[in-house]
């Protein structure tokens, strides 16, 4: 704990997002939200994404601390470190969780700490992702955040929220310097955790570089790639496989101009015997910008 419970995206085009989220990603619309947005499902949870009117970026993230004791432990560490954490019963009701406290991360991202999400009485099915999403106890997926102060991010996410370092990737990617650190939620021994639920790196254009969703079968990554291409969604990185989490995935742009990663085969960490390393590449193969793969033919 904690796992990634839910994400809130502020978007300028709600209609575009609904078509994209259901038609390309394969999520399902859960309900209309009071502010005019809507929520989305991907698994047994009643909702995993809140799509609300806003400025095309991450507007909140919800960290599931597992139970009352897990939540108290995180809140106690934050409070002891001088960070203001506020209990919000109304927001807990709106998010459909048992108890919720909120604060902000070092980059000002509204951060919600909770336990007891509402589960749906109906099984999740997606007409375009037959294998379904790998989520539930593992959490929604992972996020890569912009960090303007690495030490402050480290203190907040590792020392206070309780994430553990998985590894680093330091390299150059088509002329761009990459320096990312990846973190997993420590397992309580009853179940493994994703190789990473969180990564952060130097200041980026938006708060969120990308969020990742994992599906149950490789075939469903290929079909999502086709749907993205057919919907004219800009592909940012072709199919490829990362060396650290071994995710076989592609990257493309959401209607809000931050990216999503759609993958299969992610590695798990069982919490024991993990040693960290630094990789000198983003990918073992693939993940190329499409312009490099298909340069314009000379006339
Ligand atoms: Fe990723």
């Amino acid at each position: 704990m904690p796992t990634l419970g839910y994400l809130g995206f502020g978007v300028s085009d709600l209609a575009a997002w609904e078509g994209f989220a259901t038609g390309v990603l394969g999520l399902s619309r859960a309900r209309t939200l009071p502010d005019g947005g809507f929520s989305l499902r991907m698994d047994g949870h009643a909702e995993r994404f809140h799509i609300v009117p806003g400025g095309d970026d991450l507007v909140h993230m919800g960290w599931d601390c597992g139970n009352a004791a897990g939540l108290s432990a995180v809140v106690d560490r934050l409070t002891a470190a001088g960070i203001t954490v506020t209990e919000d019963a109304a927001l807990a009701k709106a998010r459909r969780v048992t108890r919720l406290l909120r604060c902000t991360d070092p980059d000002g991202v509204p951060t919600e700490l909770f336990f007891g999400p509402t589960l749906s009485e109906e099984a999740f099915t997606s007409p375009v992702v037959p294998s379904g999403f790998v989520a539930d106890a593992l959490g929604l997926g992972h996020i890569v955040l912009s960090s303007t102060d690495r030490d402050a991010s480290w203190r907040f996410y590792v020392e206070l929220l309780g994430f553990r370092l998985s590894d680093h990737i330091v390299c150059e990617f088509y002329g761009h310097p990459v320096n990312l650190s990846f973190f997993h939620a420590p397992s309580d021994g009853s179940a493994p955790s994703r190789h990473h639920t969180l990564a952060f790196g130097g200041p980026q254009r938006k708060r969120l570089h990308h969020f990742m969703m994992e599906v149950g079968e490789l075939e469903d990554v290929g079909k999502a790639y086709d749907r993205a291409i057919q919907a004219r969604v800009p592909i940012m990185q072709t199919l490829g496989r990362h060396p650290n989490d071994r995710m076989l995935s592609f990257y493309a742009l959401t209607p809000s101009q931050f990216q999503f990663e759609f993958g299969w085969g992610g590695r798990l960490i069982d919490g024991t015997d993990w040693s960290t390393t630094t990789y000198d590449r983003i990918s073992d193969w693939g993940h190329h910008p499409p312009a490099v793969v298909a340069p314009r033919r000379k006339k």
Side-chain angles (χ1 to χ4, degrees), residues 25-58:
L25 301 182
L27 305 172
S28 68
R29 186 184 164 112
R31 65 175 174 134
T32 299
L33 298 173
D35 55 10
F38 57 90
S39 59
L40 294 161
R41 285 188 66 194
M42 71 183 316
D43 61 0
H45 286 221
E47 41 202 71
R48 285 294 202 178
F49 297 91
H50 307 118
I51 311 299
V52 299
D56 291 312
D57 207 344
L58 179 66

PDB file of all heavy atoms in Angstrom, residues 25-58:
ATOM      1  N   LEU A  25      -9.986   3.303 -25.652  1.00  0.00           N
ATOM      2  CA  LEU A  25      -9.406   2.622 -24.488  1.00  0.00           C
ATOM      3  C   LEU A  25     -10.203   1.388 -24.069  1.00  0.00           C
ATOM      4  O   LEU A  25      -9.630   0.433 -23.530  1.00  0.00           O
ATOM      5  CB  LEU A  25      -9.301   3.589 -23.295  1.00  0.00           C
ATOM      6  CG  LEU A  25      -8.453   4.847 -23.500  1.00  0.00           C
ATOM      7  CD1 LEU A  25      -8.411   5.665 -22.214  1.00  0.00           C
ATOM      8  CD2 LEU A  25      -7.037   4.490 -23.963  1.00  0.00           C
ATOM      9  N   GLY A  26     -11.519   1.430 -24.265  1.00  0.00           N
ATOM     10  CA  GLY A  26     -12.336   0.279 -23.871  1.00  0.00           C
ATOM     11  C   GLY A  26     -12.845   0.350 -22.436  1.00  0.00           C
ATOM     12  O   GLY A  26     -13.278  -0.654 -21.876  1.00  0.00           O
ATOM     13  N   LEU A  27     -12.798   1.561 -21.842  1.00  0.00           N
ATOM     14  CA  LEU A  27     -13.384   1.751 -20.511  1.00  0.00           C
ATOM     15  C   LEU A  27     -14.899   1.894 -20.661  1.00  0.00           C
ATOM     16  O   LEU A  27     -15.391   2.059 -21.769  1.00  0.00           O
ATOM     17  CB  LEU A  27     -12.788   3.018 -19.865  1.00  0.00           C
ATOM     18  CG  LEU A  27     -11.260   3.057 -19.769  1.00  0.00           C
ATOM     19  CD1 LEU A  27     -10.786   4.433 -19.306  1.00  0.00           C
ATOM     20  CD2 LEU A  27     -10.752   1.970 -18.821  1.00  0.00           C
ATOM     21  N   SER A  28     -15.626   1.845 -19.541  1.00  0.00           N
ATOM     22  CA  SER A  28     -17.069   2.046 -19.659  1.00  0.00           C
ATOM     23  C   SER A  28     -17.501   3.217 -18.789  1.00  0.00           C
ATOM     24  O   SER A  28     -16.944   3.458 -17.705  1.00  0.00           O
ATOM     25  CB  SER A  28     -17.841   0.779 -19.290  1.00  0.00           C
ATOM     26  OG  SER A  28     -17.714   0.506 -17.916  1.00  0.00           O
ATOM     27  N   ARG A  29     -18.491   3.948 -19.282  1.00  0.00           N
ATOM     28  CA  ARG A  29     -19.012   5.096 -18.541  1.00  0.00           C
ATOM     29  C   ARG A  29     -19.772   4.597 -17.323  1.00  0.00           C
ATOM     30  O   ARG A  29     -20.589   3.681 -17.429  1.00  0.00           O
ATOM     31  CB  ARG A  29     -19.934   5.907 -19.449  1.00  0.00           C
ATOM     32  CG  ARG A  29     -20.411   7.187 -18.817  1.00  0.00           C
ATOM     33  CD  ARG A  29     -21.411   7.917 -19.709  1.00  0.00           C
ATOM     34  NE  ARG A  29     -22.103   8.912 -18.913  1.00  0.00           N
ATOM     35  CZ  ARG A  29     -21.972  10.223 -19.076  1.00  0.00           C
ATOM     36  NH1 ARG A  29     -21.205  10.697 -20.011  1.00  0.00           N
ATOM     37  NH2 ARG A  29     -22.626  11.053 -18.283  1.00  0.00           N
ATOM     38  N   ALA A  30     -19.466   5.164 -16.156  1.00  0.00           N
ATOM     39  CA  ALA A  30     -20.131   4.724 -14.931  1.00  0.00           C
ATOM     40  C   ALA A  30     -21.330   5.611 -14.609  1.00  0.00           C
ATOM     41  O   ALA A  30     -22.446   5.138 -14.479  1.00  0.00           O
ATOM     42  CB  ALA A  30     -19.139   4.723 -13.764  1.00  0.00           C
ATOM     43  N   ARG A  31     -21.093   6.917 -14.465  1.00  0.00           N
ATOM     44  CA  ARG A  31     -22.201   7.811 -14.111  1.00  0.00           C
ATOM     45  C   ARG A  31     -21.830   9.252 -14.449  1.00  0.00           C
ATOM     46  O   ARG A  31     -20.653   9.584 -14.653  1.00  0.00           O
ATOM     47  CB  ARG A  31     -22.543   7.708 -12.624  1.00  0.00           C
ATOM     48  CG  ARG A  31     -21.419   8.181 -11.734  1.00  0.00           C
ATOM     49  CD  ARG A  31     -21.776   8.200 -10.256  1.00  0.00           C
ATOM     50  NE  ARG A  31     -20.575   8.527  -9.488  1.00  0.00           N
ATOM     51  CZ  ARG A  31     -20.533   9.424  -8.497  1.00  0.00           C
ATOM     52  NH1 ARG A  31     -21.605  10.079  -8.144  1.00  0.00           N
ATOM     53  NH2 ARG A  31     -19.401   9.652  -7.856  1.00  0.00           N
ATOM     54  N   THR A  32     -22.882  10.100 -14.478  1.00  0.00           N
ATOM     55  CA  THR A  32     -22.661  11.530 -14.665  1.00  0.00           C
ATOM     56  C   THR A  32     -22.320  12.130 -13.306  1.00  0.00           C
ATOM     57  O   THR A  32     -22.950  11.801 -12.302  1.00  0.00           O
ATOM     58  CB  THR A  32     -23.934  12.206 -15.224  1.00  0.00           C
ATOM     59  OG1 THR A  32     -24.225  11.608 -16.494  1.00  0.00           O
ATOM     60  CG2 THR A  32     -23.734  13.697 -15.408  1.00  0.00           C
ATOM     61  N   LEU A  33     -21.299  12.976 -13.266  1.00  0.00           N
ATOM     62  CA  LEU A  33     -20.876  13.596 -12.008  1.00  0.00           C
ATOM     63  C   LEU A  33     -21.589  14.942 -11.829  1.00  0.00           C
ATOM     64  O   LEU A  33     -22.022  15.556 -12.818  1.00  0.00           O
ATOM     65  CB  LEU A  33     -19.354  13.791 -12.007  1.00  0.00           C
ATOM     66  CG  LEU A  33     -18.545  12.484 -12.100  1.00  0.00           C
ATOM     67  CD1 LEU A  33     -17.058  12.778 -12.273  1.00  0.00           C
ATOM     68  CD2 LEU A  33     -18.779  11.597 -10.875  1.00  0.00           C
ATOM     69  N   PRO A  34     -21.706  15.396 -10.601  1.00  0.00           N
ATOM     70  CA  PRO A  34     -22.470  16.623 -10.330  1.00  0.00           C
ATOM     71  C   PRO A  34     -21.956  17.851 -11.089  1.00  0.00           C
ATOM     72  O   PRO A  34     -22.727  18.742 -11.412  1.00  0.00           O
ATOM     73  CB  PRO A  34     -22.299  16.820  -8.820  1.00  0.00           C
ATOM     74  CG  PRO A  34     -21.983  15.466  -8.286  1.00  0.00           C
ATOM     75  CD  PRO A  34     -21.228  14.754  -9.361  1.00  0.00           C
ATOM     76  N   ASP A  35     -20.654  17.902 -11.356  1.00  0.00           N
ATOM     77  CA  ASP A  35     -20.108  19.083 -12.041  1.00  0.00           C
ATOM     78  C   ASP A  35     -20.235  18.991 -13.564  1.00  0.00           C
ATOM     79  O   ASP A  35     -19.659  19.793 -14.290  1.00  0.00           O
ATOM     80  CB  ASP A  35     -18.642  19.290 -11.656  1.00  0.00           C
ATOM     81  CG  ASP A  35     -17.799  18.057 -11.927  1.00  0.00           C
ATOM     82  OD1 ASP A  35     -18.307  17.128 -12.588  1.00  0.00           O
ATOM     83  OD2 ASP A  35     -16.640  18.017 -11.475  1.00  0.00           O
ATOM     84  N   GLY A  36     -20.943  17.991 -14.051  1.00  0.00           N
ATOM     85  CA  GLY A  36     -21.141  17.868 -15.494  1.00  0.00           C
ATOM     86  C   GLY A  36     -20.214  16.884 -16.159  1.00  0.00           C
ATOM     87  O   GLY A  36     -20.387  16.570 -17.340  1.00  0.00           O
ATOM     88  N   GLY A  37     -19.238  16.398 -15.427  1.00  0.00           N
ATOM     89  CA  GLY A  37     -18.343  15.390 -15.993  1.00  0.00           C
ATOM     90  C   GLY A  37     -18.944  14.005 -15.873  1.00  0.00           C
ATOM     91  O   GLY A  37     -20.146  13.834 -15.643  1.00  0.00           O
ATOM     92  N   PHE A  38     -18.077  13.022 -15.997  1.00  0.00           N
ATOM     93  CA  PHE A  38     -18.540  11.637 -15.879  1.00  0.00           C
ATOM     94  C   PHE A  38     -17.408  10.783 -15.320  1.00  0.00           C
ATOM     95  O   PHE A  38     -16.240  11.183 -15.339  1.00  0.00           O
ATOM     96  CB  PHE A  38     -19.020  11.097 -17.235  1.00  0.00           C
ATOM     97  CG  PHE A  38     -17.996  11.152 -18.327  1.00  0.00           C
ATOM     98  CD1 PHE A  38     -17.124  10.093 -18.557  1.00  0.00           C
ATOM     99  CD2 PHE A  38     -17.871  12.290 -19.125  1.00  0.00           C
ATOM    100  CE1 PHE A  38     -16.165  10.147 -19.561  1.00  0.00           C
ATOM    101  CE2 PHE A  38     -16.916  12.364 -20.134  1.00  0.00           C
ATOM    102  CZ  PHE A  38     -16.061  11.276 -20.350  1.00  0.00           C
ATOM    103  N   SER A  39     -17.785   9.608 -14.804  1.00  0.00           N
ATOM    104  CA  SER A  39     -16.769   8.692 -14.303  1.00  0.00           C
ATOM    105  C   SER A  39     -16.722   7.455 -15.180  1.00  0.00           C
ATOM    106  O   SER A  39     -17.652   7.184 -15.950  1.00  0.00           O
ATOM    107  CB  SER A  39     -17.045   8.330 -12.843  1.00  0.00           C
ATOM    108  OG  SER A  39     -18.311   7.722 -12.709  1.00  0.00           O
ATOM    109  N   LEU A  40     -15.621   6.723 -15.041  1.00  0.00           N
ATOM    110  CA  LEU A  40     -15.368   5.565 -15.900  1.00  0.00           C
ATOM    111  C   LEU A  40     -14.955   4.369 -15.059  1.00  0.00           C
ATOM    112  O   LEU A  40     -14.283   4.512 -14.038  1.00  0.00           O
ATOM    113  CB  LEU A  40     -14.229   5.890 -16.887  1.00  0.00           C
ATOM    114  CG  LEU A  40     -14.502   6.969 -17.927  1.00  0.00           C
ATOM    115  CD1 LEU A  40     -13.186   7.499 -18.495  1.00  0.00           C
ATOM    116  CD2 LEU A  40     -15.383   6.428 -19.057  1.00  0.00           C
ATOM    117  N   ARG A  41     -15.338   3.202 -15.537  1.00  0.00           N
ATOM    118  CA  ARG A  41     -14.946   1.937 -14.890  1.00  0.00           C
ATOM    119  C   ARG A  41     -13.923   1.202 -15.745  1.00  0.00           C
ATOM    120  O   ARG A  41     -13.916   1.346 -16.978  1.00  0.00           O
ATOM    121  CB  ARG A  41     -16.152   1.007 -14.769  1.00  0.00           C
ATOM    122  CG  ARG A  41     -17.124   1.368 -13.699  1.00  0.00           C
ATOM    123  CD  ARG A  41     -18.157   0.262 -13.552  1.00  0.00           C
ATOM    124  NE  ARG A  41     -17.570  -0.974 -13.058  1.00  0.00           N
ATOM    125  CZ  ARG A  41     -18.174  -2.159 -13.096  1.00  0.00           C
ATOM    126  NH1 ARG A  41     -19.372  -2.272 -13.623  1.00  0.00           N
ATOM    127  NH2 ARG A  41     -17.584  -3.240 -12.617  1.00  0.00           N
ATOM    128  N   MET A  42     -13.118   0.356 -15.066  1.00  0.00           N
ATOM    129  CA  MET A  42     -12.197  -0.522 -15.789  1.00  0.00           C
ATOM    130  C   MET A  42     -12.131  -1.921 -15.164  1.00  0.00           C
ATOM    131  O   MET A  42     -11.480  -2.805 -15.701  1.00  0.00           O
ATOM    132  CB  MET A  42     -10.784   0.068 -15.834  1.00  0.00           C
ATOM    133  CG  MET A  42     -10.088   0.041 -14.482  1.00  0.00           C
ATOM    134  SD  MET A  42      -8.435   0.806 -14.441  1.00  0.00           S
ATOM    135  CE  MET A  42      -7.641   0.209 -15.907  1.00  0.00           C
ATOM    136  N   ASP A  43     -12.752  -2.083 -13.989  1.00  0.00           N
ATOM    137  CA  ASP A  43     -12.628  -3.359 -13.260  1.00  0.00           C
ATOM    138  C   ASP A  43     -13.774  -3.466 -12.266  1.00  0.00           C
ATOM    139  O   ASP A  43     -14.837  -2.874 -12.479  1.00  0.00           O
ATOM    140  CB  ASP A  43     -11.252  -3.437 -12.579  1.00  0.00           C
ATOM    141  CG  ASP A  43     -11.031  -2.331 -11.553  1.00  0.00           C
ATOM    142  OD1 ASP A  43     -11.931  -1.495 -11.353  1.00  0.00           O
ATOM    143  OD2 ASP A  43      -9.952  -2.313 -10.933  1.00  0.00           O
ATOM    144  N   GLY A  44     -13.551  -4.137 -11.157  1.00  0.00           N
ATOM    145  CA  GLY A  44     -14.605  -4.317 -10.168  1.00  0.00           C
ATOM    146  C   GLY A  44     -14.952  -3.070  -9.372  1.00  0.00           C
ATOM    147  O   GLY A  44     -15.956  -3.044  -8.666  1.00  0.00           O
ATOM    148  N   HIS A  45     -14.119  -2.047  -9.451  1.00  0.00           N
ATOM    149  CA  HIS A  45     -14.402  -0.804  -8.739  1.00  0.00           C
ATOM    150  C   HIS A  45     -15.528  -0.031  -9.445  1.00  0.00           C
ATOM    151  O   HIS A  45     -15.621  -0.049 -10.666  1.00  0.00           O
ATOM    152  CB  HIS A  45     -13.154   0.079  -8.660  1.00  0.00           C
ATOM    153  CG  HIS A  45     -12.143  -0.426  -7.673  1.00  0.00           C
ATOM    154  ND1 HIS A  45     -11.448   0.394  -6.822  1.00  0.00           N
ATOM    155  CD2 HIS A  45     -11.724  -1.685  -7.395  1.00  0.00           C
ATOM    156  CE1 HIS A  45     -10.640  -0.321  -6.058  1.00  0.00           C
ATOM    157  NE2 HIS A  45     -10.786  -1.591  -6.395  1.00  0.00           N
ATOM    158  N   ALA A  46     -16.330   0.665  -8.638  1.00  0.00           N
ATOM    159  CA  ALA A  46     -17.455   1.413  -9.209  1.00  0.00           C
ATOM    160  C   ALA A  46     -16.973   2.503 -10.146  1.00  0.00           C
ATOM    161  O   ALA A  46     -17.633   2.836 -11.132  1.00  0.00           O
ATOM    162  CB  ALA A  46     -18.306   2.003  -8.097  1.00  0.00           C
ATOM    163  N   GLU A  47     -15.793   3.108  -9.844  1.00  0.00           N
ATOM    164  CA  GLU A  47     -15.233   4.098 -10.753  1.00  0.00           C
ATOM    165  C   GLU A  47     -13.727   4.226 -10.543  1.00  0.00           C
ATOM    166  O   GLU A  47     -13.231   4.112  -9.414  1.00  0.00           O
ATOM    167  CB  GLU A  47     -15.900   5.459 -10.624  1.00  0.00           C
ATOM    168  CG  GLU A  47     -16.223   5.925  -9.238  1.00  0.00           C
ATOM    169  CD  GLU A  47     -17.328   6.988  -9.260  1.00  0.00           C
ATOM    170  OE1 GLU A  47     -18.489   6.660  -9.536  1.00  0.00           O
ATOM    171  OE2 GLU A  47     -16.986   8.145  -9.011  1.00  0.00           O
ATOM    172  N   ARG A  48     -13.017   4.431 -11.623  1.00  0.00           N
ATOM    173  CA  ARG A  48     -11.552   4.547 -11.576  1.00  0.00           C
ATOM    174  C   ARG A  48     -11.057   5.887 -12.121  1.00  0.00           C
ATOM    175  O   ARG A  48      -9.932   6.282 -11.855  1.00  0.00           O
ATOM    176  CB  ARG A  48     -10.920   3.423 -12.409  1.00  0.00           C
ATOM    177  CG  ARG A  48     -10.956   2.049 -11.758  1.00  0.00           C
ATOM    178  CD  ARG A  48     -10.104   1.966 -10.501  1.00  0.00           C
ATOM    179  NE  ARG A  48      -9.732   0.582 -10.194  1.00  0.00           N
ATOM    180  CZ  ARG A  48      -8.964   0.242  -9.164  1.00  0.00           C
ATOM    181  NH1 ARG A  48      -8.484   1.167  -8.353  1.00  0.00           N
ATOM    182  NH2 ARG A  48      -8.685  -1.021  -8.929  1.00  0.00           N
ATOM    183  N   PHE A  49     -11.882   6.530 -12.953  1.00  0.00           N
ATOM    184  CA  PHE A  49     -11.491   7.816 -13.550  1.00  0.00           C
ATOM    185  C   PHE A  49     -12.638   8.800 -13.391  1.00  0.00           C
ATOM    186  O   PHE A  49     -13.803   8.434 -13.573  1.00  0.00           O
ATOM    187  CB  PHE A  49     -11.202   7.670 -15.050  1.00  0.00           C
ATOM    188  CG  PHE A  49     -10.048   6.760 -15.382  1.00  0.00           C
ATOM    189  CD1 PHE A  49     -10.270   5.403 -15.601  1.00  0.00           C
ATOM    190  CD2 PHE A  49      -8.754   7.249 -15.485  1.00  0.00           C
ATOM    191  CE1 PHE A  49      -9.223   4.546 -15.923  1.00  0.00           C
ATOM    192  CE2 PHE A  49      -7.700   6.405 -15.802  1.00  0.00           C
ATOM    193  CZ  PHE A  49      -7.923   5.056 -16.020  1.00  0.00           C
ATOM    194  N   HIS A  50     -12.289  10.046 -13.046  1.00  0.00           N
ATOM    195  CA  HIS A  50     -13.258  11.136 -13.010  1.00  0.00           C
ATOM    196  C   HIS A  50     -12.851  12.113 -14.114  1.00  0.00           C
ATOM    197  O   HIS A  50     -11.751  12.681 -14.060  1.00  0.00           O
ATOM    198  CB  HIS A  50     -13.245  11.841 -11.655  1.00  0.00           C
ATOM    199  CG  HIS A  50     -13.409  10.888 -10.504  1.00  0.00           C
ATOM    200  ND1 HIS A  50     -12.444  10.707  -9.539  1.00  0.00           N
ATOM    201  CD2 HIS A  50     -14.413  10.027 -10.193  1.00  0.00           C
ATOM    202  CE1 HIS A  50     -12.858   9.793  -8.671  1.00  0.00           C
ATOM    203  NE2 HIS A  50     -14.037   9.357  -9.047  1.00  0.00           N
ATOM    204  N   ILE A  51     -13.707  12.255 -15.098  1.00  0.00           N
ATOM    205  CA  ILE A  51     -13.424  13.157 -16.222  1.00  0.00           C
ATOM    206  C   ILE A  51     -14.298  14.391 -16.014  1.00  0.00           C
ATOM    207  O   ILE A  51     -15.530  14.303 -16.093  1.00  0.00           O
ATOM    208  CB  ILE A  51     -13.752  12.474 -17.577  1.00  0.00           C
ATOM    209  CG1 ILE A  51     -13.113  11.068 -17.650  1.00  0.00           C
ATOM    210  CG2 ILE A  51     -13.310  13.367 -18.738  1.00  0.00           C
ATOM    211  CD1 ILE A  51     -11.608  11.037 -17.551  1.00  0.00           C
ATOM    212  N   VAL A  52     -13.651  15.520 -15.716  1.00  0.00           N
ATOM    213  CA  VAL A  52     -14.405  16.711 -15.308  1.00  0.00           C
ATOM    214  C   VAL A  52     -13.990  17.909 -16.162  1.00  0.00           C
ATOM    215  O   VAL A  52     -12.890  17.930 -16.731  1.00  0.00           O
ATOM    216  CB  VAL A  52     -14.164  17.021 -13.804  1.00  0.00           C
ATOM    217  CG1 VAL A  52     -14.633  15.856 -12.947  1.00  0.00           C
ATOM    218  CG2 VAL A  52     -12.701  17.333 -13.527  1.00  0.00           C
ATOM    219  N   PRO A  53     -14.853  18.932 -16.261  1.00  0.00           N
ATOM    220  CA  PRO A  53     -14.480  20.112 -17.044  1.00  0.00           C
ATOM    221  C   PRO A  53     -13.223  20.754 -16.455  1.00  0.00           C
ATOM    222  O   PRO A  53     -13.123  20.920 -15.233  1.00  0.00           O
ATOM    223  CB  PRO A  53     -15.698  21.040 -16.900  1.00  0.00           C
ATOM    224  CG  PRO A  53     -16.838  20.145 -16.487  1.00  0.00           C
ATOM    225  CD  PRO A  53     -16.209  19.036 -15.690  1.00  0.00           C
ATOM    226  N   GLY A  54     -12.272  21.109 -17.293  1.00  0.00           N
ATOM    227  CA  GLY A  54     -11.032  21.704 -16.788  1.00  0.00           C
ATOM    228  C   GLY A  54     -10.016  21.913 -17.890  1.00  0.00           C
ATOM    229  O   GLY A  54     -10.336  21.862 -19.082  1.00  0.00           O
ATOM    230  N   GLY A  55      -8.791  22.111 -17.444  1.00  0.00           N
ATOM    231  CA  GLY A  55      -7.742  22.571 -18.342  1.00  0.00           C
ATOM    232  C   GLY A  55      -6.791  21.515 -18.858  1.00  0.00           C
ATOM    233  O   GLY A  55      -5.598  21.772 -19.014  1.00  0.00           O
ATOM    234  N   ASP A  56      -7.273  20.343 -19.131  1.00  0.00           N
ATOM    235  CA  ASP A  56      -6.492  19.305 -19.798  1.00  0.00           C
ATOM    236  C   ASP A  56      -5.218  18.910 -19.052  1.00  0.00           C
ATOM    237  O   ASP A  56      -4.095  18.999 -19.568  1.00  0.00           O
ATOM    238  CB  ASP A  56      -6.160  19.745 -21.242  1.00  0.00           C
ATOM    239  CG  ASP A  56      -7.416  19.767 -22.101  1.00  0.00           C
ATOM    240  OD1 ASP A  56      -8.171  18.782 -22.061  1.00  0.00           O
ATOM    241  OD2 ASP A  56      -7.643  20.769 -22.792  1.00  0.00           O
ATOM    242  N   ASP A  57      -5.436  18.447 -17.838  1.00  0.00           N
ATOM    243  CA  ASP A  57      -4.319  17.904 -17.045  1.00  0.00           C
ATOM    244  C   ASP A  57      -4.895  17.094 -15.876  1.00  0.00           C
ATOM    245  O   ASP A  57      -6.117  17.049 -15.677  1.00  0.00           O
ATOM    246  CB  ASP A  57      -3.433  19.041 -16.519  1.00  0.00           C
ATOM    247  CG  ASP A  57      -1.981  18.591 -16.288  1.00  0.00           C
ATOM    248  OD1 ASP A  57      -1.729  17.359 -16.241  1.00  0.00           O
ATOM    249  OD2 ASP A  57      -1.118  19.471 -16.147  1.00  0.00           O
ATOM    250  N   LEU A  58      -3.987  16.500 -15.137  1.00  0.00           N
ATOM    251  CA  LEU A  58      -4.358  15.765 -13.929  1.00  0.00           C
ATOM    252  C   LEU A  58      -4.917  16.749 -12.901  1.00  0.00           C
ATOM    253  O   LEU A  58      -4.284  17.761 -12.602  1.00  0.00           O
ATOM    254  CB  LEU A  58      -3.100  15.082 -13.389  1.00  0.00           C
ATOM    255  CG  LEU A  58      -3.198  14.254 -12.121  1.00  0.00           C
ATOM    256  CD1 LEU A  58      -4.074  13.027 -12.337  1.00  0.00           C
ATOM    257  CD2 LEU A  58      -1.788  13.809 -11.690  1.00  0.00           C
TER     258      LEU A  58
END
